[in-house]
Amino acid sequence: MYPIRKDFLPLSRPTIGEEEIREVVETLRSGWITTGPKVAAFEERFRRYLDMPHAVAVSSGTAALHVALLGAGVGPGDEVITSSMTFAATANAIVLAGARPVLVDCERITLNIDVAGVNRALTKKTKAIMPVHFAGQPCAMDEIMEIARRRHLLVIEDAAHALGAEYKGRKIGAVGDATIYSFHPIKSITTGEGGMVVLRDGDWADRMRLARFHGIRTSAWERQAGGKSPLYAVELPGLKYTMMDIQAAIGIHQVAKLDDFIARRSMLAQRYRKKFKSIDGVKLLGDVPYAHKHAWHLLVAELDSDRLDIGRDELLELLRASNIGAGVHFPALHMQPYYQKAFGYRPGDFPRAERAAERIFSLPLFPAMTETDVDDVAATVGALVTEHRRF
Ligand SMILES: Cc1ncc(COP(=O)(O)O)c(C=O)c1O
């Protein structure tokens, strides 16, 4: 038998304070609820947090990936290298920009993109590399930047998991050519839905601002309330990827709490690590071998299914029955029907991503969790694997 919690512990829960609620209510009452002064203030605070020249707020992390690629001029005939161990959004955005996603395998211990795989995937058509800082741990950026500089490629980092992470003393966001973030409620900070791109290049930022709003330079707020002409020019066939002031009202306060959130996540993760050391049959992901700060977006464990009489999917069901939420981040992208059909990927192409995709599961990790919650999860997982160990 194994312990069952009285109440359900979700995989994740956003931490929203009275400040966020007050700011949203004030925005709702202000007469201006879509893109306007709150979005500008959020961009400015975010930019300052990362100490970067430009921050461009959009409606999601997916939109951030898309406008970053469009603004970089990535399009038909180009190839962009990324990891098979990522969320679909990373590669979908490459396809939506008109380019070809070239997937590579991940590393065994961290599930970050394999640099040797990146080297092997380079062709004359490669335009950009899109590393994904898996679970919040920085990829091997020195090696990736070296490849990019040698081949004149852009590095667009998918830091959906890695806001607040650091690579060798530098914040993720200040390393590559452009970095994208997501503010989905599961992420380090949230705006409900939302995303951001940070970068140094002003012209590229300008093209992203056009791409996010119909190809029009002035926002509706600037034209209606900001003293700019009501007339506008459409400079390119842009999208409608703008963030609302209602969302930014949440983000302004979330960004101020980010370091505290990460400190709390990190403390809980260390407790998980200590507890899981004695669980035979489950291993947590390991550390990258260089100086870094982990953002601890996800707590990912790997089941040693060879030694158990249940698989990962059964374990997830048993966890749910024990009132513990869990997830899978991620099924390998090259195994997805669209990527197999459109780009010819096959089982066996990326063995490390496939192996992980069958064995990994994410456990609850969010700032409002208690140490007792961690102990509950460890006790339940420990009891489950003990009950199902074959030898
Ligand atoms: C690695 C990665 N990239 C991009 C995204 C897309 O972010 P959003 O959900 O904000 O569009 C996600 C979302 O989960 C993600 O995990």
Side-chain angles (χ1 to χ4, degrees), residues 59-65 85-91 132-135 158-161 180-187 192-195 297-298 329-330:
S59 52
S60 68
T62 309
L65 287 162
M85 182 43 71
T86 185
F87 185 53
T90 319
V132 181
H133 306 294
F134 189 87
D158 183 337
H161 300 183
I180 79 91
Y181 302 92
S182 160
F183 308 129
H184 179 273
I186 196 178
K187 300 298 191 315
E193 297 285 355
H297 162 52
L298 294 172
H329 303 91
F330 299 97

Short mmCIF file of all heavy atoms in Angstrom, two decimals, residues 59-65 85-91 132-135 158-161 180-187 192-195 297-298 329-330, ligand 1:
data_model
loop_
_atom_site.label_atom_id
_atom_site.label_comp_id
_atom_site.label_asym_id
_atom_site.label_seq_id
_atom_site.Cartn_x
_atom_site.Cartn_y
_atom_site.Cartn_z
N SER A 59 1.71 37.88 -27.23
CA SER A 59 0.57 37.18 -26.62
C SER A 59 0.88 35.79 -26.07
O SER A 59 0.07 35.23 -25.35
CB SER A 59 -0.56 37.09 -27.66
OG SER A 59 -0.06 36.53 -28.85
N SER A 60 2.04 35.23 -26.43
CA SER A 60 2.43 33.90 -25.92
C SER A 60 3.90 33.64 -26.22
O SER A 60 4.51 34.36 -27.02
CB SER A 60 1.58 32.79 -26.57
OG SER A 60 1.92 32.67 -27.94
N GLY A 61 4.42 32.58 -25.62
CA GLY A 61 5.79 32.17 -25.94
C GLY A 61 5.88 31.72 -27.39
O GLY A 61 6.89 31.96 -28.07
N THR A 62 4.83 31.09 -27.87
CA THR A 62 4.78 30.64 -29.27
C THR A 62 4.86 31.84 -30.21
O THR A 62 5.61 31.83 -31.19
CB THR A 62 3.47 29.85 -29.52
OG1 THR A 62 3.35 28.85 -28.50
CG2 THR A 62 3.45 29.22 -30.88
N ALA A 63 4.08 32.89 -29.90
CA ALA A 63 4.12 34.11 -30.71
C ALA A 63 5.53 34.74 -30.64
O ALA A 63 6.03 35.25 -31.65
CB ALA A 63 3.08 35.11 -30.20
N ALA A 64 6.17 34.66 -29.48
CA ALA A 64 7.52 35.21 -29.32
C ALA A 64 8.49 34.49 -30.25
O ALA A 64 9.31 35.11 -30.93
CB ALA A 64 7.97 35.09 -27.86
N LEU A 65 8.39 33.15 -30.30
CA LEU A 65 9.25 32.36 -31.20
C LEU A 65 8.99 32.78 -32.65
O LEU A 65 9.93 33.00 -33.43
CB LEU A 65 8.93 30.87 -31.05
CG LEU A 65 9.41 30.18 -29.77
CD1 LEU A 65 8.66 28.87 -29.55
CD2 LEU A 65 10.91 29.93 -29.83
N MET A 85 13.70 17.16 -28.06
CA MET A 85 13.13 17.12 -26.71
C MET A 85 12.68 18.53 -26.33
O MET A 85 13.35 19.24 -25.58
CB MET A 85 14.18 16.57 -25.74
CG MET A 85 13.71 16.41 -24.30
SD MET A 85 12.06 15.73 -24.08
CE MET A 85 12.30 14.01 -24.55
N THR A 86 11.58 18.95 -26.92
CA THR A 86 11.01 20.26 -26.62
C THR A 86 9.51 20.21 -26.85
O THR A 86 8.99 19.23 -27.38
CB THR A 86 11.66 21.38 -27.46
OG1 THR A 86 11.13 22.66 -27.03
CG2 THR A 86 11.38 21.22 -28.95
N PHE A 87 8.84 21.30 -26.45
CA PHE A 87 7.42 21.41 -26.74
C PHE A 87 7.24 21.70 -28.23
O PHE A 87 8.10 22.31 -28.86
CB PHE A 87 6.80 22.52 -25.89
CG PHE A 87 5.31 22.62 -26.02
CD1 PHE A 87 4.51 21.51 -25.83
CD2 PHE A 87 4.71 23.82 -26.35
CE1 PHE A 87 3.14 21.59 -25.96
CE2 PHE A 87 3.34 23.92 -26.48
CZ PHE A 87 2.55 22.80 -26.29
N ALA A 88 6.11 21.29 -28.77
CA ALA A 88 5.83 21.44 -30.20
C ALA A 88 6.00 22.88 -30.68
O ALA A 88 6.40 23.13 -31.82
CB ALA A 88 4.42 20.96 -30.50
N ALA A 89 5.72 23.86 -29.79
CA ALA A 89 5.76 25.27 -30.18
C ALA A 89 7.10 25.66 -30.81
O ALA A 89 7.12 26.45 -31.77
CB ALA A 89 5.50 26.15 -28.96
N THR A 90 8.19 25.12 -30.29
CA THR A 90 9.53 25.51 -30.78
C THR A 90 9.64 25.22 -32.28
O THR A 90 9.99 26.10 -33.08
CB THR A 90 10.63 24.74 -30.01
OG1 THR A 90 10.29 24.68 -28.64
CG2 THR A 90 11.99 25.39 -30.20
N ALA A 91 9.34 23.98 -32.66
CA ALA A 91 9.49 23.60 -34.06
C ALA A 91 8.31 24.09 -34.91
O ALA A 91 8.49 24.46 -36.08
CB ALA A 91 9.63 22.09 -34.17
N VAL A 132 17.07 24.94 -26.47
CA VAL A 132 15.97 24.97 -25.49
C VAL A 132 16.58 24.64 -24.13
O VAL A 132 17.14 23.55 -23.96
CB VAL A 132 14.89 23.93 -25.85
CG1 VAL A 132 13.74 23.97 -24.85
CG2 VAL A 132 14.39 24.14 -27.27
N HIS A 133 16.48 25.56 -23.19
CA HIS A 133 17.07 25.33 -21.86
C HIS A 133 16.10 24.46 -21.08
O HIS A 133 15.21 24.97 -20.39
CB HIS A 133 17.35 26.66 -21.17
CG HIS A 133 18.19 27.58 -22.01
ND1 HIS A 133 19.49 27.28 -22.34
CD2 HIS A 133 17.91 28.77 -22.60
CE1 HIS A 133 19.98 28.27 -23.09
NE2 HIS A 133 19.04 29.17 -23.27
N PHE A 134 16.29 23.17 -21.19
CA PHE A 134 15.29 22.22 -20.71
C PHE A 134 15.11 22.28 -19.19
O PHE A 134 16.07 22.18 -18.44
CB PHE A 134 15.68 20.79 -21.14
CG PHE A 134 14.61 19.80 -20.87
CD1 PHE A 134 13.61 19.56 -21.80
CD2 PHE A 134 14.56 19.12 -19.66
CE1 PHE A 134 12.59 18.67 -21.54
CE2 PHE A 134 13.54 18.22 -19.40
CZ PHE A 134 12.55 18.00 -20.33
N ALA A 135 13.87 22.44 -18.78
CA ALA A 135 13.46 22.46 -17.37
C ALA A 135 14.01 23.67 -16.61
O ALA A 135 13.70 23.86 -15.44
CB ALA A 135 13.85 21.17 -16.65
N ASP A 158 15.27 29.45 -26.86
CA ASP A 158 13.94 29.19 -26.31
C ASP A 158 14.13 29.04 -24.80
O ASP A 158 14.52 27.98 -24.30
CB ASP A 158 13.33 27.93 -26.92
CG ASP A 158 11.92 27.68 -26.41
OD1 ASP A 158 11.59 28.18 -25.32
OD2 ASP A 158 11.16 26.96 -27.09
N ALA A 159 13.89 30.15 -24.10
CA ALA A 159 14.05 30.17 -22.64
C ALA A 159 12.68 30.17 -21.96
O ALA A 159 12.52 30.74 -20.88
CB ALA A 159 14.88 31.37 -22.22
N ALA A 160 11.72 29.48 -22.60
CA ALA A 160 10.38 29.37 -21.99
C ALA A 160 10.48 28.80 -20.57
O ALA A 160 9.67 29.12 -19.72
CB ALA A 160 9.48 28.49 -22.87
N HIS A 161 11.51 27.96 -20.34
CA HIS A 161 11.69 27.34 -19.02
C HIS A 161 12.70 28.08 -18.17
O HIS A 161 12.93 27.69 -17.03
CB HIS A 161 12.22 25.91 -19.17
CG HIS A 161 11.34 24.99 -19.94
ND1 HIS A 161 11.61 23.66 -20.13
CD2 HIS A 161 10.16 25.21 -20.57
CE1 HIS A 161 10.67 23.09 -20.85
NE2 HIS A 161 9.77 24.02 -21.15
N ILE A 180 13.63 34.08 -26.12
CA ILE A 180 12.17 34.18 -25.92
C ILE A 180 11.77 33.55 -24.58
O ILE A 180 12.40 32.62 -24.10
CB ILE A 180 11.37 33.54 -27.09
CG1 ILE A 180 11.32 32.00 -26.99
CG2 ILE A 180 11.91 33.95 -28.45
CD1 ILE A 180 10.14 31.46 -26.24
N TYR A 181 10.68 34.08 -24.03
CA TYR A 181 10.13 33.60 -22.76
C TYR A 181 8.63 33.37 -22.91
O TYR A 181 7.99 33.98 -23.78
CB TYR A 181 10.36 34.63 -21.64
CG TYR A 181 11.81 34.95 -21.44
CD1 TYR A 181 12.41 36.01 -22.13
CD2 TYR A 181 12.60 34.18 -20.60
CE1 TYR A 181 13.75 36.29 -21.97
CE2 TYR A 181 13.95 34.46 -20.43
CZ TYR A 181 14.52 35.51 -21.12
OH TYR A 181 15.84 35.78 -20.96
N SER A 182 8.10 32.54 -22.03
CA SER A 182 6.66 32.28 -21.99
C SER A 182 6.13 32.65 -20.62
O SER A 182 6.80 32.42 -19.61
CB SER A 182 6.39 30.79 -22.25
OG SER A 182 5.10 30.42 -21.79
N PHE A 183 4.91 33.19 -20.57
CA PHE A 183 4.28 33.52 -19.29
C PHE A 183 2.99 32.72 -19.09
O PHE A 183 2.05 33.18 -18.44
CB PHE A 183 4.00 35.03 -19.19
CG PHE A 183 5.20 35.88 -19.50
CD1 PHE A 183 5.13 36.91 -20.42
CD2 PHE A 183 6.42 35.64 -18.86
CE1 PHE A 183 6.25 37.70 -20.71
CE2 PHE A 183 7.54 36.41 -19.14
CZ PHE A 183 7.45 37.44 -20.07
N HIS A 184 2.96 31.52 -19.68
CA HIS A 184 1.88 30.58 -19.41
C HIS A 184 1.85 30.30 -17.90
O HIS A 184 2.90 30.35 -17.25
CB HIS A 184 2.16 29.29 -20.22
CG HIS A 184 1.15 28.23 -20.03
ND1 HIS A 184 1.23 27.31 -19.00
CD2 HIS A 184 0.03 27.93 -20.73
CE1 HIS A 184 0.19 26.50 -19.08
NE2 HIS A 184 -0.55 26.86 -20.11
N PRO A 185 0.67 30.00 -17.34
CA PRO A 185 0.58 29.87 -15.87
C PRO A 185 1.52 28.84 -15.24
O PRO A 185 1.81 28.93 -14.04
CB PRO A 185 -0.88 29.47 -15.64
CG PRO A 185 -1.59 30.00 -16.83
CD PRO A 185 -0.64 29.93 -17.98
N ILE A 186 2.04 27.89 -15.99
CA ILE A 186 2.95 26.90 -15.40
C ILE A 186 4.37 27.47 -15.26
O ILE A 186 5.19 26.93 -14.51
CB ILE A 186 2.97 25.59 -16.25
CG1 ILE A 186 3.59 24.43 -15.47
CG2 ILE A 186 3.68 25.79 -17.55
CD1 ILE A 186 3.59 23.10 -16.20
N LYS A 187 4.65 28.58 -15.95
CA LYS A 187 6.02 29.08 -16.04
C LYS A 187 6.44 29.88 -14.79
O LYS A 187 5.63 30.11 -13.89
CB LYS A 187 6.17 29.96 -17.29
CG LYS A 187 5.87 29.21 -18.59
CD LYS A 187 6.82 28.06 -18.81
CE LYS A 187 6.77 27.42 -20.18
NZ LYS A 187 5.47 27.11 -20.75
N GLY A 192 -1.11 35.08 -17.33
CA GLY A 192 -2.23 34.31 -17.86
C GLY A 192 -1.75 33.58 -19.09
O GLY A 192 -1.46 32.39 -19.05
N GLU A 193 -1.66 34.27 -20.19
CA GLU A 193 -0.91 33.86 -21.37
C GLU A 193 -0.04 35.05 -21.74
O GLU A 193 -0.42 36.19 -21.49
CB GLU A 193 -1.82 33.52 -22.55
CG GLU A 193 -2.76 32.35 -22.34
CD GLU A 193 -2.08 30.99 -22.42
OE1 GLU A 193 -0.88 30.91 -22.74
OE2 GLU A 193 -2.77 30.00 -22.13
N GLY A 194 1.10 34.79 -22.34
CA GLY A 194 1.95 35.90 -22.74
C GLY A 194 3.34 35.42 -23.07
O GLY A 194 3.70 34.27 -22.79
N GLY A 195 4.11 36.29 -23.69
CA GLY A 195 5.48 35.96 -24.05
C GLY A 195 6.30 37.22 -24.24
O GLY A 195 5.74 38.33 -24.26
N HIS A 297 12.17 25.39 -13.46
CA HIS A 297 10.80 25.45 -13.99
C HIS A 297 10.10 24.11 -13.78
O HIS A 297 8.93 24.06 -13.41
CB HIS A 297 10.84 25.83 -15.47
CG HIS A 297 9.59 25.51 -16.22
ND1 HIS A 297 8.35 25.93 -15.79
CD2 HIS A 297 9.36 24.79 -17.35
CE1 HIS A 297 7.43 25.50 -16.63
NE2 HIS A 297 8.01 24.80 -17.58
N LEU A 298 10.83 23.01 -14.05
CA LEU A 298 10.23 21.67 -13.92
C LEU A 298 11.11 20.78 -13.06
O LEU A 298 12.34 20.92 -13.07
CB LEU A 298 10.12 21.02 -15.31
CG LEU A 298 9.17 21.63 -16.33
CD1 LEU A 298 9.37 20.94 -17.68
CD2 LEU A 298 7.72 21.50 -15.89
N HIS A 329 6.94 16.08 -19.90
CA HIS A 329 7.63 17.14 -20.67
C HIS A 329 8.93 16.55 -21.20
O HIS A 329 9.90 16.53 -20.47
CB HIS A 329 7.93 18.35 -19.79
CG HIS A 329 6.72 18.95 -19.16
ND1 HIS A 329 6.26 18.57 -17.92
CD2 HIS A 329 5.86 19.88 -19.63
CE1 HIS A 329 5.17 19.27 -17.63
NE2 HIS A 329 4.91 20.06 -18.65
N PHE A 330 8.93 16.05 -22.42
CA PHE A 330 7.90 16.09 -23.45
C PHE A 330 7.92 14.76 -24.20
O PHE A 330 8.95 14.09 -24.18
CB PHE A 330 8.20 17.22 -24.47
CG PHE A 330 8.24 18.59 -23.84
CD1 PHE A 330 9.44 19.15 -23.49
CD2 PHE A 330 7.07 19.28 -23.60
CE1 PHE A 330 9.47 20.41 -22.90
CE2 PHE A 330 7.09 20.55 -23.02
CZ PHE A 330 8.30 21.10 -22.67
C1 LIG B 1 10.08 24.89 -24.51
C2 LIG B 1 8.85 25.68 -24.78
N1 LIG B 1 8.86 26.58 -25.78
C3 LIG B 1 7.78 27.33 -26.08
C4 LIG B 1 6.61 27.19 -25.37
C5 LIG B 1 5.41 27.99 -25.78
O1 LIG B 1 4.98 28.90 -24.84
P1 LIG B 1 3.44 29.39 -24.80
O2 LIG B 1 2.64 28.29 -24.20
O3 LIG B 1 3.49 30.62 -23.95
O4 LIG B 1 3.04 29.70 -26.20
C6 LIG B 1 6.54 26.28 -24.32
C7 LIG B 1 5.29 26.14 -23.56
O5 LIG B 1 5.06 25.29 -22.77
C8 LIG B 1 7.69 25.50 -24.02
O6 LIG B 1 7.67 24.58 -23.04
#
